[in-house]
Amino acid sequence: RYGLIGFSGIANENSAKLSRLTDDDYKVFQEALWKCVRESGNTRSKRGQIPYLLINIEYQENSEFQFGRLQDYVKLLPLTNKDEKEWDSPEDYEVDISKLLDKLKKYNSKVKKITYEISDDCNLKQTIPSEWEKMNIDLENENKKD
């Protein structure tokens, strides 16, 4: 009935040059990634699916470094007495990114910038660091309507 799926991917700067992927293209991709989950809910199996947290790490130029599977540094902590298999909403858990924050602090010199988007429904245990930039994907779309 309920599932939370974490995944990560890499936008490689060398591959981007070959494919002629621009920064604007990548921004459109991030917006599509965020919005497609919610807006593709046109079947019963997809109903109610929403994105909760998107984190984008931009590494220093010419850096041959990457964290890899970011979801390995994120865990869910119970907020209710329900068994984990009985969780059926974000109200049942909080998202703990403490390991990710520790890893980012340790390798801070390798990171150029971090951007993020977060759903109002995401119960994040930690506060997003002030130096991270909010993407405001949903807010940008509201402004486009005006």
Side-chain angles (χ1 to χ4, degrees), residues 15-143:
S15 295
K17 287 176 189 172
L18 288 172
S19 66
R20 293 182 266 168
L21 178 76
T22 66
D23 289 343
D24 286 340
D25 294 335
Y26 186 66
K27 188 175 180 181
V28 168
F29 169 74
Q30 289 177 309
E31 183 176 331
L33 188 63
W34 182 258
K35 293 168 65 179
C36 75
V37 173
R38 183 178 34 222
E39 294 176 4
S40 67
N42 56 1
T43 67
R44 286 186 308 191
S45 66
K46 295 182 189 83
R47 186 175 303 135
Q49 291 185 10
I50 63 168
Y52 289 108
L53 181 63
L54 173 63
I55 298 173
N56 182 69
I57 300 173
E58 185 177 335
Y59 297 99
Q60 294 290 351
E61 289 183 34
N62 302 315
S63 175
E64 293 297 326
F65 176 85
Q66 60 190 13
F67 290 109
R69 295 170 41 93
L70 296 180
Q71 68 269 29
D72 291 346
Y73 308 109
V74 176
K75 67 180 180 178
L76 303 179
L77 303 174
L79 288 176
T80 66
N81 291 327
K82 290 182 183 177
D83 182 67
E84 188 173 317
K85 291 182 179 184
E86 295 175 3
W87 292 355
D88 60 0
S89 82
E91 295 173 3
D92 292 323
Y93 59 86
E94 64 183 345
V95 180
D96 180 354
I97 61 170
S98 58
K99 283 185 179 181
L100 177 61
L101 294 173
D102 290 344
K103 195 81 158 172
L104 288 167
K105 189 179 289 185
K106 181 177 179 181
Y107 294 99
N108 185 46
S109 65
K110 306 279 187 187
V111 175
K112 181 177 180 180
K113 177 172 76 170
I114 301 173
T115 54
Y116 73 98
E117 189 66 48
I118 189 167
S119 166
D120 291 340
D121 297 320
C122 183
N123 295 313
L124 198 58
K125 181 175 181 170
Q126 295 78 16
T127 302
I128 296 284
S130 59
E131 60 272 12
W132 292 18
E133 297 176 23
K134 190 150 185 346
M135 292 178 193
N136 291 316
I137 293 171
D138 290 327
L139 183 60
E140 284 179 15
N141 293 325
E142 290 300 317
N143 292 336

